[in-house]
Amino acid sequence: MSLNDLIEILISGITIGLVYFLIAVGFSLIYGVSRVLHLSYGSFFTWGAYLAWIFAVKLNFNYFWVFVLVCPILYIMGMALERFVVRPLRKRDNFDFNVLLAGLGVALFLDYAAQAFFGARTKSLPSLLDGTIQIHDFVFSYQQLTMLAAAVVIAFALWFFLEKTRQGLALGAVAQDPVGARIVGVSLNKVYLLTFGISTILAGSAGILLAPRFFISPLGGWKFLIKALIIVVAGGLGSIRGTLYSAFLLGILEALVGWLFGLLWVMPFWFLALLLILLIKPHGLLGSTADH
Amino acid sequence: MLDVSNLNTFYGQFQALHDLSLTVEDGQMVALFGPNGHGKSTLLKTICGLIEASSGSIKWNNTELAGLSSEKIVQMGVIYIAEDRHLFPEMTVMQNLKMGAFNLSARSSEAETLAYVLDIFPKLKILRNKPASTLSGGEARMLAIGRGIMSKPKFLAIDEPSIGLSPKLREEVFLKINEIRQSGVSILLVEQSSEEVAEMADYLYLMEDGHIVFKGHTNDALKDENIKKIFLGTG
Amino acid sequence: MKINREILTTAGILIIIAVTPLIFHENSYTMHLLIMSMIWAVAATAWDLLLGYGGIFNLAQVGFFAIGAYATGMASIHLGISPWMGLLLGAVASGLAGVLIGLPCLRLKGIYVALMTLAFFEVIGPLIVVGINLGTGGKAGLFPIPPFRLGSYVFNTDELLPWYYLCLILLAICLFITYKLIHSMLGLSFTALRDSEPFAQSLGINRFKSALVVTAIAAAMTGLIGAFYAHYVVVISPRMLGLDMFLFLLIMIIFGGAARFPGPVIGAFVITFLDDMLRPLDSYRLLAFGALMVIMIMLLPNGLMGLVAKINIPLFGKRDTEAEMLNPDIPKTY
């Protein structure tokens, strides 16, 4: 492996890691704020990609408009899930158990609805931007650069929302102390709706960003749900910064393992990395010990 | 004016409040005493909509609060300051205060309220960029009260503000609460027993097992040595 | 053993299964579906032991099924061990895998269990594929897995009755173990744990130990039936680790009634036959099952058995107080 190879692996790993971060952080937000283990999350990744396929391939919109049109649809889908499936279960006993199973049911429904609408054969999306650029010895595709740029923009927007806006702070408030949030007049139901909406956008837009690189298939979201799970647990449940670190770490690992042994070995290596991290730090890289 | 009448509250099968009635006039400070675990906190939480009442009414300026969501109650200026504070541990002091002004009626005057809060609790200004989880007991108590004031209260339900504080800090906290009351806020203050509070308050209630067992004006109550003994645990 | 509704229902189910071949033994397709129902019944019951009764969100059960199947498959093909030993090996291998996955995560909060076991489950498939040099058969699968022998008789696909009754025996054993477990101290302490951890801790119950034991037993039962499955279907491949089985077992649990022994057994039979009837719908079939799953959870959270309990059929006798204690819908007192 030459130095150039290493640098290329690093850059590709960071790019993919950042997109994985978007997926993982959405999953983590839903768990942190509403304590829902959201197992239909991967299906929204898939649906984001399929919706983009409708607009980009069938209706010939460019990617800017694809995002502008798809994000509100995803937002509404996420809110509908919260309102009509999660909220009624919240009032009953065994919420954790019921919501977990209901999530699986929703996933099954959404995945096979996608298969019924779009067929079982894989679909592909055109690249975000065509062409390549050469910097010194390195050749980058515009596809990879736009993916990186879009992921950076989304991640920054998320940071701004969570840290600098009142509604974003309300999300954090509910995650940190739901009773405290009610004391200052935050409506838990509204925050849950908002969280599901935003997280669904994160999953779906990651689906759009990754679709030109992987193919879209009805059950394709599961792989990314599992990746999100591993990233979230490795980074420490509830820690956004931990999630970022572990997403980069595992993204680079993926690029490295893919280069050395082939993509088939990525998941075994991820799992091994997860076990190693948990062996050293049982609550993940930056998980709090209080969350036992 | 806050008017609670015939209030009953349950935790599952266990009845925490029995047919409870209590009144706080505008601008008054009312103190509610009683041993731990006898329903004082439950009453405050029921008033502020954190716990649902089973029956009875809670009228705030002729609006029924029972059955309203906590965010609507907060918006009307009925604010709870919890004994266990419920601060947001990972947020800074400033972010916690900003969250205090979350409700719509507090937002418009956020800047002025913030200036007022930092004026009565100057320590919070120094600590403004520290996460709430790093504060000492006294500082966290100040922040909890400050965050309550940020919500633009017309009525404050304060739950055992002196718990876990040194005598000096206790006195300081009570002085601050008195200051807040002088600004026109009605206050319902819960303590296990406290002579300082009794002397500040206009009206006293004593609670046992979810029942009100005594009520009366401070002056009358404190004249009676027996009642004084029950109330304050002192002679 | 006190006779109660659970025993009556279970015995009734087993007797009905035992006499059914009198009618259907010539219809080999129906016999096959019945055998598959029994296989799923064991897997679903074992899973419910964790999910419903234990409150342990172990999502790797299908993985244990595969481990049992591959243990006996690989050992009987490559090492030539007897399929009967293979059943035992499948149970032991899965039980050990259960302990291995349980050790790091059962001490942690429920969500970690769910996340870790799901990740573990998803990793078994790729491991089988990349482990082709170890004799896993890779993507194509293992074939042919030898049948059971009894004296000079060799189990074969033309005669399903021996398979049928062997499976019934395994089902009966697993149901007996499950029943005992639910009603033993371990089971009781478990339900206490699920409903109130501080209360259970005050009784001196060590959650970690009990959780590990139950996880191991549930994994072993699943591995046992997975091993039987391998010999029965002759060929196994990583495709069994797809979502279908995963979700179908859960639908069976929900449909029959989670923590409503022997609800998952009934669920297994109903769903297996329903699935077969809906086969012409093709991919809409799974869409329908997804919708069914959500609707069941929303409208009938305690499944068929919950419905039966509500109707309170006099045949089943009075509501059994011990069973009641184990059911989650009793109003909590504070």
Short mmCIF file of all heavy atoms in Angstrom, two decimals, chain B residues 56-77:
data_model
loop_
_atom_site.label_atom_id
_atom_site.label_comp_id
_atom_site.label_asym_id
_atom_site.label_seq_id
_atom_site.Cartn_x
_atom_site.Cartn_y
_atom_site.Cartn_z
N GLY B 56 -61.98 17.36 41.36
CA GLY B 56 -61.79 18.63 42.03
C GLY B 56 -61.39 19.71 41.04
O GLY B 56 -61.24 19.44 39.84
N SER B 57 -61.23 20.93 41.54
CA SER B 57 -60.91 22.00 40.60
C SER B 57 -59.73 22.85 41.07
O SER B 57 -59.47 22.97 42.27
CB SER B 57 -62.16 22.87 40.35
OG SER B 57 -62.05 24.08 41.05
N ILE B 58 -58.98 23.36 40.11
CA ILE B 58 -57.89 24.29 40.37
C ILE B 58 -58.16 25.51 39.53
O ILE B 58 -58.02 25.47 38.31
CB ILE B 58 -56.54 23.67 39.97
CG1 ILE B 58 -56.32 22.31 40.65
CG2 ILE B 58 -55.40 24.62 40.29
CD1 ILE B 58 -55.28 21.45 39.96
N LYS B 59 -58.60 26.60 40.17
CA LYS B 59 -58.94 27.80 39.39
C LYS B 59 -57.83 28.83 39.53
O LYS B 59 -57.43 29.17 40.62
CB LYS B 59 -60.27 28.38 39.88
CG LYS B 59 -61.47 27.59 39.38
CD LYS B 59 -62.53 28.56 38.85
CE LYS B 59 -63.50 27.86 37.92
NZ LYS B 59 -64.33 26.87 38.63
N TRP B 60 -57.35 29.31 38.38
CA TRP B 60 -56.36 30.38 38.38
C TRP B 60 -57.02 31.56 37.69
O TRP B 60 -57.33 31.50 36.51
CB TRP B 60 -55.10 29.93 37.65
CG TRP B 60 -54.15 31.03 37.28
CD1 TRP B 60 -53.79 31.43 36.04
CD2 TRP B 60 -53.43 31.86 38.18
NE1 TRP B 60 -52.91 32.46 36.09
CE2 TRP B 60 -52.66 32.75 37.40
CE3 TRP B 60 -53.38 31.96 39.59
CZ2 TRP B 60 -51.84 33.72 37.97
CZ3 TRP B 60 -52.54 32.92 40.14
CH2 TRP B 60 -51.79 33.78 39.33
N ASN B 61 -57.29 32.62 38.47
CA ASN B 61 -58.01 33.78 37.93
C ASN B 61 -59.23 33.35 37.12
O ASN B 61 -59.43 33.76 35.98
CB ASN B 61 -57.09 34.65 37.08
CG ASN B 61 -56.00 35.29 37.92
OD1 ASN B 61 -56.15 35.40 39.15
ND2 ASN B 61 -54.92 35.68 37.28
N ASN B 62 -59.99 32.45 37.70
CA ASN B 62 -61.23 31.96 37.11
C ASN B 62 -61.07 31.05 35.90
O ASN B 62 -62.05 30.69 35.27
CB ASN B 62 -62.19 33.11 36.76
CG ASN B 62 -62.65 33.81 38.02
OD1 ASN B 62 -62.87 33.16 39.05
ND2 ASN B 62 -62.75 35.13 37.95
N THR B 63 -59.83 30.69 35.56
CA THR B 63 -59.65 29.69 34.50
C THR B 63 -59.37 28.34 35.16
O THR B 63 -58.58 28.27 36.10
CB THR B 63 -58.44 30.05 33.62
OG1 THR B 63 -58.55 31.41 33.26
CG2 THR B 63 -58.40 29.17 32.37
N GLU B 64 -60.03 27.30 34.68
CA GLU B 64 -59.82 25.96 35.25
C GLU B 64 -58.51 25.39 34.74
O GLU B 64 -58.28 25.27 33.53
CB GLU B 64 -61.00 25.07 34.85
CG GLU B 64 -60.94 23.65 35.39
CD GLU B 64 -60.92 23.59 36.92
OE1 GLU B 64 -61.82 24.15 37.55
OE2 GLU B 64 -59.98 22.98 37.46
N LEU B 65 -57.59 25.05 35.65
CA LEU B 65 -56.30 24.47 35.24
C LEU B 65 -56.35 22.95 35.18
O LEU B 65 -55.62 22.32 34.41
CB LEU B 65 -55.19 24.88 36.22
CG LEU B 65 -54.85 26.37 36.33
CD1 LEU B 65 -53.63 26.54 37.21
CD2 LEU B 65 -54.62 26.98 34.98
N ALA B 66 -57.22 22.34 36.00
CA ALA B 66 -57.28 20.87 36.02
C ALA B 66 -57.66 20.38 34.63
O ALA B 66 -58.63 20.84 34.04
CB ALA B 66 -58.29 20.39 37.05
N GLY B 67 -56.86 19.48 34.10
CA GLY B 67 -57.14 18.94 32.76
C GLY B 67 -56.36 19.63 31.67
O GLY B 67 -56.27 19.13 30.55
N LEU B 68 -55.78 20.82 31.98
CA LEU B 68 -54.95 21.48 30.95
C LEU B 68 -53.57 20.84 30.92
O LEU B 68 -53.10 20.29 31.90
CB LEU B 68 -54.80 22.97 31.28
CG LEU B 68 -56.02 23.87 31.07
CD1 LEU B 68 -55.61 25.33 31.29
CD2 LEU B 68 -56.59 23.69 29.68
N SER B 69 -52.90 20.94 29.77
CA SER B 69 -51.55 20.41 29.66
C SER B 69 -50.59 21.33 30.38
O SER B 69 -50.87 22.52 30.58
CB SER B 69 -51.16 20.29 28.19
OG SER B 69 -51.13 21.58 27.62
N SER B 70 -49.45 20.78 30.79
CA SER B 70 -48.50 21.58 31.56
C SER B 70 -48.02 22.79 30.75
O SER B 70 -47.80 23.86 31.31
CB SER B 70 -47.32 20.73 32.01
OG SER B 70 -46.77 20.02 30.93
N GLU B 71 -47.89 22.63 29.41
CA GLU B 71 -47.38 23.79 28.66
C GLU B 71 -48.38 24.94 28.63
O GLU B 71 -48.00 26.11 28.65
CB GLU B 71 -46.92 23.39 27.25
CG GLU B 71 -47.98 22.88 26.30
CD GLU B 71 -48.08 21.36 26.30
OE1 GLU B 71 -47.63 20.72 27.28
OE2 GLU B 71 -48.62 20.81 25.33
N LYS B 72 -49.69 24.64 28.64
CA LYS B 72 -50.69 25.71 28.68
C LYS B 72 -50.66 26.41 30.03
O LYS B 72 -50.78 27.63 30.13
CB LYS B 72 -52.08 25.13 28.43
CG LYS B 72 -52.29 24.68 27.00
CD LYS B 72 -53.71 24.96 26.53
CE LYS B 72 -53.86 24.65 25.05
NZ LYS B 72 -54.19 23.21 24.82
N ILE B 73 -50.48 25.59 31.09
CA ILE B 73 -50.45 26.16 32.44
C ILE B 73 -49.24 27.07 32.60
O ILE B 73 -49.33 28.17 33.14
CB ILE B 73 -50.45 25.02 33.49
CG1 ILE B 73 -51.78 24.26 33.40
CG2 ILE B 73 -50.22 25.56 34.88
CD1 ILE B 73 -51.85 23.02 34.25
N VAL B 74 -48.09 26.62 32.07
CA VAL B 74 -46.88 27.44 32.13
C VAL B 74 -47.11 28.77 31.40
O VAL B 74 -46.73 29.83 31.88
CB VAL B 74 -45.68 26.69 31.51
CG1 VAL B 74 -44.49 27.62 31.32
CG2 VAL B 74 -45.28 25.52 32.39
N GLN B 75 -47.77 28.68 30.26
CA GLN B 75 -48.00 29.88 29.47
C GLN B 75 -48.86 30.90 30.22
O GLN B 75 -48.77 32.09 29.98
CB GLN B 75 -48.67 29.49 28.16
CG GLN B 75 -48.57 30.57 27.12
CD GLN B 75 -48.63 29.97 25.72
OE1 GLN B 75 -48.32 28.80 25.53
NE2 GLN B 75 -49.05 30.75 24.77
N MET B 76 -49.71 30.40 31.14
CA MET B 76 -50.54 31.32 31.92
C MET B 76 -49.78 31.91 33.08
O MET B 76 -50.35 32.70 33.85
CB MET B 76 -51.76 30.57 32.44
CG MET B 76 -52.82 30.38 31.41
SD MET B 76 -54.23 29.65 32.21
CE MET B 76 -54.59 28.39 31.09
N GLY B 77 -48.52 31.52 33.25
CA GLY B 77 -47.72 32.12 34.31
C GLY B 77 -47.75 31.36 35.62
O GLY B 77 -47.36 31.89 36.65
#
